[in-house]
Amino acid sequence: MSHCAARCATRSATRLLNLTRALSTEARGQKIERIATELLDLNSFERHDFTVLWRLKMGLHRYGAPVAGMTMPSVGAAARAEAGAAAVAEKMAFDLKLEKYDAAAKIKIIKEVRSFTDLGLKEAKDLVEKVPCVLKKGLTKEEANPIMEKLKELGAAVVLE
């Protein structure tokens, strides 16, 4: 093969390689564009789910620390506040917290705490004495209301969290 023919073959191969790179770069650009469009089409709940999944996949979920810049840029403060309000409205499980009680009713309150928990006398007494404390976790409002009413009648201040 002559020097000129070899040079032309090299140029052709270089052009072909550059064309292949340009096509793969263009395909990557189209892929990125498609992903960005799909992300922008998500509603706020789906965006939240995506960011949680992204954090888990990237290993950024340690200690539940929020990572700066991980929220979608198109989600405004109003949308995040709306999503937070919806999450609060949807809360189904509450914790029953004893904040304070009348010292004269301590024994009655301990007996009442034993009636709706699986605690023994000593454990219930220790729990009541650690005021403020959570008496029971994961209650619905329907389950918690009768307990709250009974404890309030006995002279305790209780709240749902």
Side-chain angles (χ1 to χ4, degrees), residues 90-117:
E90 294 175 3
K91 188 172 180 179
M92 299 299 291
F94 299 91
D95 296 341
L96 184 63
K97 183 176 181 181
L98 176 64
E99 294 202 331
K100 61 182 178 177
Y101 59 89
D102 185 22
K106 180 178 175 182
I107 294 172
K108 292 178 184 176
I109 292 171
I110 292 171
K111 287 181 180 179
E112 186 62 30
V113 167
R114 286 191 64 205
S115 71
F116 65 85
T117 62

Side-chain angles (χ1 to χ4, degrees), residues 12-76:
S12 295
T14 304
R15 285 185 189 144
L16 183 61
L17 182 61
N18 287 340
L19 180 62
T20 305
R21 285 182 185 157
L23 287 175
S24 71
T25 303
E26 184 178 322
R28 280 187 292 191
Q30 289 174 350
K31 181 179 178 182
I32 299 298
E33 183 69 30
R34 179 184 53 79
I35 291 170
T37 303
E38 288 178 12
L39 288 174
L40 289 173
D41 290 339
L42 298 176
N43 65 35
S44 61
F45 295 113
E46 292 169 332
R47 283 186 191 130
H48 173 74
D49 292 343
F50 170 76
T51 56
V52 169
L53 179 63
W54 180 257
R55 286 177 179 174
L56 288 172
K57 295 236 181 221
M58 295 298 290
L60 302 173
H61 60 286
R62 252 185 225 199
Y63 310 113
V67 179
M70 285 301 293
T71 59
M72 297 298 293
S74 63
V75 178

